[in-house]
Structures are given as C-alpha cells and as structure tokens.
C-alpha cells in the first residue's frame, strides 16, 4: 500500500510538471499597468486556495511514528486565504480537516491501533517563495515555497488494544504546521499547488505518550488550486517576477539614457563652439567671432567691430555767456502789461502787437531763449482753464515766430488757475491772474 501511495503522488507531480513546462513555452504575460518597484496597489494581493490529499502518521523522514509503521491513508482537505505582501512573502490563514490512523504490529504493543479525527484546525502561517526557476517570464512559472506557522488543532483520538476500543475526550491544542512544495502558474492569477505539510501536534494525538520533548507528528501530502482575487486586469503579486519586471524596463531606460547622453554631447559641442567664438586673441575687448580687425595692437581704442577708432580732433568749445540787461527786462515787462486777448479766447488783440514786436526784435538780436507761461483765474472748469492757458501761451509764441524769432528757443506752457498771484474772490484779483508771463534766459 505504501508503495502504491508514493507511485500515485509521483504520477500526480509528474503530470503537473509536464503541463506547467508546456504552458511555460507560451506564457507571454506582461506587467502592463505596473512600474518597476511600484506599489502593491498595482497588483492583486489576495488569493484563496483549496487542497485535498492524504493524511497519515508517516513522514518522509521516518521519525516520530511511535511504532505505527503500518499506515492508514486517509483523505485530508484544506482551504486558505492569503495576503501577498511582497513577491516572495505572504501571510495565510489555513483550515485543515480529516483523520489520521495507524497500526502497530509490534508484538505486545500496549496500543495496537489508533484513529484520530480532526474536525477542524486553524493556523496562521508565513509563506516564503524560495526561488523563480525562469527569470525570463514576467509571471513566474514554477515557484518553490516554504511556509511555517502556528495554530489550534481540535482532535478526538480512539485507541484499540486487541478488540478493546477507547475514545478519549475531544481536545483543542496548539500545533505547528510546516509546509513546502511548488506552485505552477497555469493562467493569469491561477496556480496549481502541490505540497507536503508536516504537523507537530500534542503528545496525546496518537494516544501514546512519548518523551518529554517528543511531540506527535503527522503529514499531509496535498494538491489543489490557488486563485487570485480582485481585478483580473492586474497581475497577481505572488506570481510577479521583480527581476523580469526590471529587465523589461531595461531597453526603455537605456533608450532614455542614450538620448540624454546624445543631448549632453550636442550641448557640450555647442558650448565648445561658443567658448571658441568668445576668445579675444588681440585683447581689444571684442570677441574673435565679431572682431573685423583681429590684429589690433595692444592698447588701441576700438569700436564695436574691433577696428581702431579715428583720432579725435581737439576742438575748443566756446561758451557764450548770455546777459539779460535791465533794458531787456523793461521791454518784456511792457509786453506783459499790454498783452490782451479776446474774452475766453486765445486771440491776441491788435493793441498788443507793438510791444510784442519789440520782444521779437530783442530775441532775434540777442539770441535769447524765452519761456511763456500762461495762467487763468478759477472761473470755469479746470480742464477748460488749462487748455485756454496753454493756447494763449502758444498764440504768443506763434506771433513772435511770425516776426522772425527762433521757434526752438521759445517754450510755451499752460498752468491754468494753479499758480495765482492774487485772490480770485474779486474782479481785480481775477484780472491779475489772467496773464502770460515772459522769462528771458
């Protein structure tokens, strides 16, 4: 029976390996939507698994059998929920149930047979993905794993001595499951799970008390499926291959680097060309690139093109001193007194012409400059008065120019009512404020 059991397990493992190897030839799953070393939110991280297999008192190491060398092979079953924290590590909560039995054929054995029913067990384990057998694929095809945890095991043991059977009370004790095996990716987010689990249980598990530090041990050879939960468009983190993911980005990163290197080389070439053009071989302050006279002797003053400036001619500047006499001022004062305009207009009355003619003659004779400043009283709007004062000053300038005075030496400005010389509260004061002032210089 033992030989037949191992033949069946070997056949199952071989079938899984062959099917997985065949699938590996066509697996072109990608990691679209993920980034190198990206967050786990880019993947599916939760999965569920169901398994069935054989429970017995034996183990591949041949220890802790307590004399029950004739094995009873019983069906076991398990299910788990797992959260994959990284591509190589996850935490799973596992349920396992079934029964374990064995026969002790040793003559004079106190207990000749036992059967332990396990209605349930619950364990929390850490599962490590040990390696990836093919780094060329984004989704790992064959993944050896190892898991260890701790949990609670409920069991009821029936022992037999000869024809007498004794059933102990049901117990719930701690146990330690250690699992190892292979997972084979057969589709995106679906794995075949083939494993072998050893379980260290309480000494009462098989009804035979061992030594102080010798716990009972039973095994669970199992096969089943693991299915990833969540958005099917995302890859499963437990199947992802960080090495292949990074390799997939290699060409893209290399192309970006090559482009940056080429841009830097071009920039360096441009900088070298600019620096060469900014050299000043003759030291005249004009770069070679713009120097039309490249061999200028040291110390020569040059223009913007690097060519020598013509020698400056030394000219004596004659400054003419202008003197305004008292007689000149009287001529201007008389013109101011006699200057009259039509009411609210800039038209000069003929009675003002004679005195203005004398001012024009004075400007021509002595080449004086003249500033005309027009003023008004505060009657009317400010805008109107500013315009009227300016127009009256310009009217006087136009008259003087018409008599031969130099227009460039006459400045006409209007100040409106802003610079009164008398009160605007009386007719006399307003009359004084309506004026054009003459300033010779």
């Amino acid at each position: 029976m033992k030989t037949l059991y191992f033949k069946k397990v070997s056949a199952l493992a071989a079938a899984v390996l062959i099917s997985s190897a065949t699938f590996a030839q066509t697996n072109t799953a990608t990691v679209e939507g993920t980034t190198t070393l990206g967050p786990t939110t880019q993947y599916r991280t939760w999965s569920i698994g169901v398994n069935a297999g054989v429970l017995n008192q034996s183990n591949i190491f041949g220890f802790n059998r307590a004399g029950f060398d004739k094995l009873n092979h019983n069906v076991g079953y398990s299910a788990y929920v797992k959260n994959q924290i990284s591509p190589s590590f996850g935490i799973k909560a596992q349920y396992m149930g079934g029964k374990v039995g064995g026969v002790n054929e040793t003559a004079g054995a106190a207990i000749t047979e036992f059967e332990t029913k396990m209605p349930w067990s619950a364990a929390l384990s850490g599962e490590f993905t040990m390696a990836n057998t093919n780094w060329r694929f984004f989704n790992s095809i064959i993944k050896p794993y190892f898991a260890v945890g701790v949990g609670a095991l409920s069991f009821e043991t029936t022992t037999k001595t000869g024809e007498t059977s004794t059933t102990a009370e049901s117990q719930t004790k701690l146990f330690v499951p250690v699992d190892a095996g292979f997972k084979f990716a057969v589709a995106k987010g679906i794995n075949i799970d083939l494993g072998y689990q050893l379980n260290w249980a309480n000494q009462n598990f098989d009804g035979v008390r061992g030594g102080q530090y010798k716990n009972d041990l039973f095994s669970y050879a199992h096969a089943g499926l693991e299915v990833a939960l969540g958005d099917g468009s995302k890859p499963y983190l437990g199947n992802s291959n960080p090495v292949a993911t990074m390799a997939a980005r290699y060409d893209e990163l290399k192309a970006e680097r090559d482009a940056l290197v080429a841009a830097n080389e071009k920039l360096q070439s441009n900088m070298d060309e600019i620096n060469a053009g900014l050299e000043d071989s003759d030291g005249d302050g004009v770069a070679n690139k713009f120097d039309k006279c490249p061999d200028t002797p040291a110390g020569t003053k040059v223009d913007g093109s690097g060519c020598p400036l013509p020698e400056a001619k030394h000219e004596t500047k004659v400054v003419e001193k202008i003197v305004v006499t008292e007689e000149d001022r009287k001529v201007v004062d008389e013109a101011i007194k006699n200057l009259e305009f039509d009411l609210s207009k800039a038209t000069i009355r003929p009675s003002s012409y004679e005195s203005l003619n004398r001012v024009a003659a004075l400007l021509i004779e002595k080449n004086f400059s003249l500033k005309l400043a027009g003023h008004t009283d505060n009657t009317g709007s400010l805008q109107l008065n500013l315009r009227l004062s300016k127009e009256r000053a310009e009217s006087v300038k136009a008259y003087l120019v018409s008599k031969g005075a130099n227009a460039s030496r006459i400045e006409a400005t209007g100040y409106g009512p802003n610079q009164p010389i008398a009160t605007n509260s009386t007719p006399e004061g307003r009359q004084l404020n309506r004026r054009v002032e003459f300033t010779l210089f």
Side-chain angles (χ1 to χ4, degrees):
M1 181 178 296
K2 181 177 179 180
T3 302
L4 179 61
Y5 161 67
F6 282 110
K7 285 183 178 180
K8 290 181 179 179
V9 172
S10 300
L12 176 61
V16 172
L17 285 169
I18 291 171
S19 63
S20 298
T22 302
F23 176 75
Q25 303 304 316
T26 59
N27 181 12
T28 58
T30 66
V31 284
E32 292 178 1
T34 67
T35 57
T36 304
L37 304 179
T40 56
T41 53
Q42 297 176 348
Y43 299 86
R44 286 181 286 172
T45 58
W46 287 93
S47 64
I48 59 173
V50 291
N51 291 282
V54 178
L55 286 166
N56 60 49
Q57 179 73 351
S58 179
N59 57 81
I60 58 177
F61 305 104
F63 52 78
N64 283 26
R65 292 184 180 178
F68 297 104
D69 295 328
K70 183 179 180 181
L71 304 176
N72 292 333
H73 302 299
N74 296 292
V75 175
Y77 41 87
S78 64
Y80 62 84
V81 176
K82 185 174 69 171
N83 181 21
Q84 196 73 30
I85 297 174
S86 73
S88 60
F89 179 73
I91 296 177
K92 67 179 180 181
Q94 180 186 27
Y95 162 83
M96 180 178 62
K99 63 181 180 179
V100 177
V103 177
N104 188 340
E105 296 180 320
T106 304
I111 298 177
T112 58
E113 187 175 354
F114 84 97
E115 181 179 88
T116 300
K117 297 178 181 179
M118 299 183 303
W120 64 268
S121 68
L124 190 65
S125 301
E127 184 177 289
F128 300 86
T129 302
M130 304 303 294
N132 174 17
T133 58
N134 194 331
W135 284 5
R136 294 184 299 109
F137 295 109
F138 295 114
N139 283 346
S140 304
I141 306 303
I142 304 174
K143 299 173 292 301
Y145 70 90
F146 171 81
V148 61
V150 64
L153 174 67
S154 176
F155 61 92
E156 182 184 85
T157 304
T158 300
T159 58
K160 187 180 287 188
T161 303
E163 298 299 325
T164 304
S165 297
T166 303
T167 301
E169 293 184 1
S170 177
Q171 301 181 59
T172 300
K173 299 291 183 179
L174 290 176
F175 82 111
V176 175
V178 177
D179 200 5
F182 294 89
K183 291 184 180 178
F184 306 91
V186 294
K188 190 175 182 180
I190 300 178
N191 296 319
I192 290 178
D193 183 359
L194 182 63
Y196 187 78
Q197 181 173 322
L198 295 177
N199 302 276
W200 277 265
N202 182 267
Q203 290 191 5
N204 296 325
F205 184 80
D206 60 6
V208 177
R209 295 289 296 180
Q212 182 178 0
Y213 301 105
K214 186 176 181 181
N215 287 52
D216 291 340
L217 178 65
F218 67 94
S219 64
Y220 174 45
H222 57 82
L225 288 177
E226 179 183 41
V227 180
L229 303 176
D231 186 353
S233 64
K234 294 183 178 181
Y236 176 48
L237 183 59
N239 285 356
S240 68
N241 185 342
V243 175
T245 301
M246 295 180 70
R249 302 286 190 260
Y250 173 78
D251 291 338
E252 178 183 348
L253 294 175
K254 184 177 183 300
E256 292 178 359
R257 177 190 176 279
D258 291 344
L260 288 174
V261 170
N264 288 338
E265 290 177 349
K266 183 178 180 181
L267 179 61
Q268 185 61 49
S269 175
N270 292 339
M271 289 298 296
D272 292 342
E273 182 178 347
I274 291 172
N275 289 334
L278 293 178
E279 291 181 0
D280 181 11
S281 300
D282 56 6
D284 60 1
V286 179
N288 293 345
K289 183 177 181 180
F290 306 105
D291 198 342
K292 295 181 179 179
C293 300
D295 299 321
T296 305
T300 305
K301 293 184 178 180
V302 298
D303 58 18
S305 63
C307 294
L309 289 169
E311 292 185 6
K313 295 181 179 179
H314 298 287
E315 298 180 352
T316 302
K317 185 176 181 181
V318 179
V319 179
E320 182 180 357
K321 186 176 181 179
I322 298 175
V323 178
V324 180
T325 66
E326 191 64 30
E327 290 298 323
D328 297 334
R329 291 191 178 90
K330 287 181 179 180
V331 173
V332 172
D333 290 343
E334 184 180 355
I336 293 174
K337 291 178 182 178
N338 293 331
L339 183 60
E340 293 182 353
F341 296 92
D342 289 344
L343 184 64
S344 298
K345 294 182 179 179
T347 304
I348 302 173
R349 289 179 177 176
S351 59
S352 305
Y353 292 165
E354 184 178 352
S355 57
L356 288 176
N357 290 342
R358 286 194 289 270
V359 172
L362 183 63
L363 294 177
I364 296 170
E365 178 186 355
K366 294 192 174 183
N367 201 28
F368 283 148
S369 295
L370 177 65
K371 179 178 180 180
L372 300 171
H375 302 272
T376 66
D377 59 25
N378 64 351
T379 304
S381 67
L382 175 62
Q383 183 178 3
L384 176 63
N385 285 325
L386 287 171
R387 187 188 70 191
L388 180 60
S389 64
K390 173 70 172 175
E391 289 176 351
R392 284 181 172 178
E394 291 286 353
S395 180
V396 174
K397 176 180 178 179
Y399 183 85
L400 296 174
V401 171
S402 72
K403 296 301 178 180
N406 188 345
S408 65
R409 287 184 172 274
I410 302 174
E411 176 187 351
T413 308
Y415 294 98
N418 295 325
Q419 296 181 3
I421 58 174
T423 179
N424 282 306
S425 302
T426 64
E428 294 80 5
R430 289 193 292 273
Q431 176 65 33
L432 292 173
N433 289 333
R434 295 191 295 271
R435 69 198 188 278
V436 174
E437 295 178 345
F438 292 56
T439 305
L440 284 175
F441 60 95

